[in-house]
Amino acid sequence: MAVERTLSILKPDATRRNLTGAINQRFEDAGLRIVAQRRLRLTREQAQQFYAVHAERAFYDDLCDYMTSGPIVAQVLEGENAVVRNREIMGATNPANADKGTIRKDFGESVEANSAHGSDSPENAAIEVAFFFAQTDIAD
Ligand code: CDP
Ligand code: MG
């Protein structure tokens, strides 16, 4: 299995409750390395662009409101099978359906405020990493 990189976001509900360290511990305990990290506030345009794939969904406008409601932490995680591994660590989109011990089960507040984002494929990971980071921002 190849070493991969994936884009992770700690969402506004997580930064608001000071959960950056607790969530990062989950990644590091699972063997994923945080090779880039930046705290920022998304503009509405950035949120719309990042979630453009969901533009036709009923939840899109609320999601963009939510993602701009407070700071986020964008990060690049690196490790074996990092894309799938990170999604396992995060758990299902809806915290109510997520397995015990996952980030979304343990920290998520709702299907929208579910604490973390993770890329869903290596192809999207490359696009999403480039959305937030230059190659020179990443140190492994
Ligand atoms: O984040 P994930 O890839 O698991 O789910 P998604 O289907 O790509 O949806 C992106 C994000 O939209 C979710 O993480 C939720 O924050 C939000 N969402 C929502 O607010 N209501 C839904 N019914 C589905 C997703
Ligand atoms: Mg998704």
Side-chain angles (χ1 to χ4, degrees):
M1 190 59 70
V3 172
E4 288 177 346
R5 288 175 177 171
T6 191
L7 191 278
S8 167
I9 298 176
L10 310 186
K11 295 186 177 183
D13 69 277
T15 61
R16 176 171 50 79
R17 289 175 291 151
N18 234 8
L19 293 171
T20 299
I23 295 175
N24 280 351
Q25 191 72 57
R26 303 286 181 105
F27 299 136
E28 293 188 334
D29 286 348
L32 294 178
R33 190 174 299 277
I34 302 164
V35 296
Q37 182 165 259
R38 186 156 70 92
R39 181 174 167 116
L40 69 149
R41 183 97 176 227
L42 285 174
T43 65
R44 176 121 199 133
E45 291 67 32
Q46 286 174 315
Q48 287 171 333
Q49 191 188 341
F50 186 79
Y51 281 115
V53 66
H54 294 310
E56 304 307 320
R57 307 288 295 274
F59 60 79
Y60 178 67
D61 283 340
D62 275 352
L63 176 62
C64 292
D65 285 345
Y66 162 64
M67 289 299 290
T68 57
S69 68
I72 63 165
V73 176
Q75 49 193 196
V76 182
L77 306 180
E78 184 179 89
E80 294 285 325
N81 206 16
V83 172
V84 166
R85 189 78 191 97
N86 181 40
R87 290 193 64 97
E88 290 170 353
I89 297 163
M90 285 198 302
T93 305
N94 187 342
N97 301 330
D99 290 340
K100 276 194 191 133
T102 62
I103 289 167
R104 284 165 162 176
K105 176 60 116 189
D106 292 348
F107 300 120
E109 295 182 315
S110 66
V111 64
E112 178 176 83
N114 57 3
S115 301
H117 165 85
S119 306
D120 63 7
S121 68
E123 295 72 26
N124 284 334
I127 294 167
E128 293 181 358
V129 166
F131 189 92
F132 288 102
F133 297 99
Q135 277 304 323
T136 48
D137 295 326
I138 304 171
D140 57 9

